[in-house]
Amino acid sequence: MDWGQILNNTASFVLSPETIGFMLAAIGLSIHFGYAGLLNFGMAGFMAIGAYSYAISILSFGLPWYVAMMVSIAGAVVFAILLGIPTLRLRGDYLAIVTIAAAEIVRLLFQSQIFDEWTNSADGLGGYHAGFRAANPLPSGSYGIGPWTYTETGWWVRIFGLLLVVVAVLVTWMLMRSPWGRVLKGIREDEDAVRSLGKNVFLYKMQALIIGGVFGALGGVVIALPAAVIPQYYLPSLTFFVWTALLLGGAATIFGPVLGAALYWALMAFLAGVLPQMAAAGWLPLTPTNAGNLRFIVVGVALMLLVAFRPQGILGKKKEMTFVK
């Protein structure tokens, strides 16, 4: 067992662009579920729209990278409105089913050959990085210490992503301490009571869906910044992974989604390293490849135990979860 390599990879993943993208998506999901009580299982759709809008804006229309990010935000707003108008009056399970279907429709549209000219169908998109990398203020070279040593491009992606996380945390913190946030929490607890006070519950839910969706789209952009946009990445399982990160940290908390995403990817990276080596050493009756896939089962079981015994997550408070029946 090469524990040095395993721990190195685990520590490195804590600061990966994918982890940072998950932090943003989990913050968005926290607004949807933790504060508004919306069972959104279509976060993968928002992330796909963010990533594709960014890449298409640059590759097909030649827009600067920062304008492309604005297009991603606009795409998330439009998708939230289209998704919310027919679904936000649904409750619980029905809303969850519809949002799963909506995210799958988005992915299949990007994957289909109908829009091949812009999306490149199943092959996805790449080669849109030049503008973002040209804006890098860091000098060339490798920096850092131990597992956190990256090139100037690697650091630029991480620093930019973390800045977005800080902005998302501050926005969420301010919103949830405002009268708007208190109304949203009231809707989460008992929307009929809030409606009886003359509040437009549908409008508040729509606003929460839009804000959380924008954070999800930005998460998709951060994940796409260093690599490519591939439609197979945005499967329904992606949404469940973001849910796992959210529930691990705490659904109705400010820092819970950030902590949950970091712990989730650290656990996944640790299991991806240790399980194949255990199989290779003969400690598991599996091939190293199958042992690597075993991590999804381990994480799934951990999520079940978490929901059963600590539904509020690591940083959450049980009284904030009274809306979970």
Side-chain angles (χ1 to χ4, degrees):
M1 300 284 283
D2 188 349
W3 287 107
Q5 182 189 9
I6 293 170
L7 295 177
N8 228 35
N9 289 339
T10 301
S12 177
F13 250 90
V14 173
L15 208 55
S16 72
E18 199 159 19
T19 302
I20 297 170
F22 262 56
M23 290 176 182
L24 286 164
I27 291 171
L29 203 55
S30 177
I31 293 175
H32 288 166
F33 176 68
Y35 294 109
L38 300 174
L39 270 175
N40 174 23
F41 278 82
M43 186 52 82
F46 284 103
M47 296 171 77
I49 286 174
Y52 268 98
S53 299
Y54 178 79
I56 292 172
S57 297
I58 295 173
L59 293 174
S60 299
F61 300 100
L63 297 179
W65 68 272
Y66 48 87
V67 178
M69 291 200 69
M70 296 298 107
V71 174
S72 295
I73 292 173
V77 172
V78 171
F79 180 59
I81 293 173
L82 294 176
L83 176 65
I85 288 175
T87 62
L88 285 180
R89 290 185 173 83
L90 301 174
R91 298 194 184 197
D93 302 346
Y94 295 100
L95 177 61
I97 292 168
V98 172
T99 52
I100 290 174
E104 266 299 90
I105 290 170
V106 168
R107 186 184 67 83
L108 292 173
L109 283 175
F110 283 133
Q111 190 172 338
S112 73
Q113 294 186 346
I114 300 173
F115 306 109
D116 189 60
E117 180 182 354
W118 298 284
T119 64
N120 204 22
S121 58
D123 293 330
L125 297 170
Y128 48 81
H129 311 291
F132 179 78
R133 291 176 181 175
N136 188 351
L138 302 173
S140 300
S142 295
Y143 310 92
I145 182 170
W148 299 289
T149 300
Y150 309 106
T151 64
E152 75 281 2
T153 302
W155 275 117
W156 175 225
V157 172
R158 287 165 174 81
I159 291 171
F160 184 78
L162 288 173
L163 286 175
L164 290 179
V165 171
V166 171
V167 171
V169 167
L170 284 175
V171 169
T172 306
W173 182 80
M174 289 189 293
L175 283 176
M176 295 312 150
R177 278 154 182 77
S178 69
W180 183 86
R182 288 191 284 274
V183 172
L184 200 65
K185 291 178 184 177
I187 293 172
R188 177 191 69 185
E189 299 295 331
D190 188 344
E191 67 178 68
D192 292 330
V194 175
R195 190 178 289 111
S196 68
L197 296 174
K199 301 293 184 183
N200 189 331
V201 171
F202 177 82
L203 188 59
Y204 277 90
K205 284 184 175 181
M206 179 65 80
Q207 292 165 352
L209 187 66
I210 290 173
I211 295 170
V214 166
F215 290 153
L218 290 175
V221 172
V222 171
I223 292 172
L225 280 178
V229 181
I230 305 295
Q232 288 83 357
Y233 181 79
Y234 304 98
L235 292 168
S237 56
L238 175 62
T239 296
F240 288 96
F241 296 153
V242 177
W243 268 97
T244 304
L246 174 68
L247 296 177
L248 184 60
T253 62
I254 299 297
F255 294 105
V258 177
L259 176 65
L263 290 177
Y264 170 78
W265 277 111
L267 178 61
M268 291 291 280
F270 177 78
L271 293 174
V274 74
L275 291 175
Q277 291 199 29
M278 289 175 69
W283 295 357
L284 292 175
L286 298 168
T287 64
T289 302
N290 289 335
N293 293 330
L294 186 63
R295 61 183 171 148
F296 295 105
I297 298 174
V298 174
V299 171
V301 172
L303 176 62
M304 292 166 61
L305 295 174
L306 184 70
V307 171
F309 296 106
R310 193 172 173 81
Q312 70 271 33
I314 295 173
L315 298 182
K317 298 176 182 175
K318 207 160 189 177
K319 67 178 183 180
E320 289 276 355
M321 302 299 290
T322 54
F323 63 102
V324 178
K325 304 294 190 293

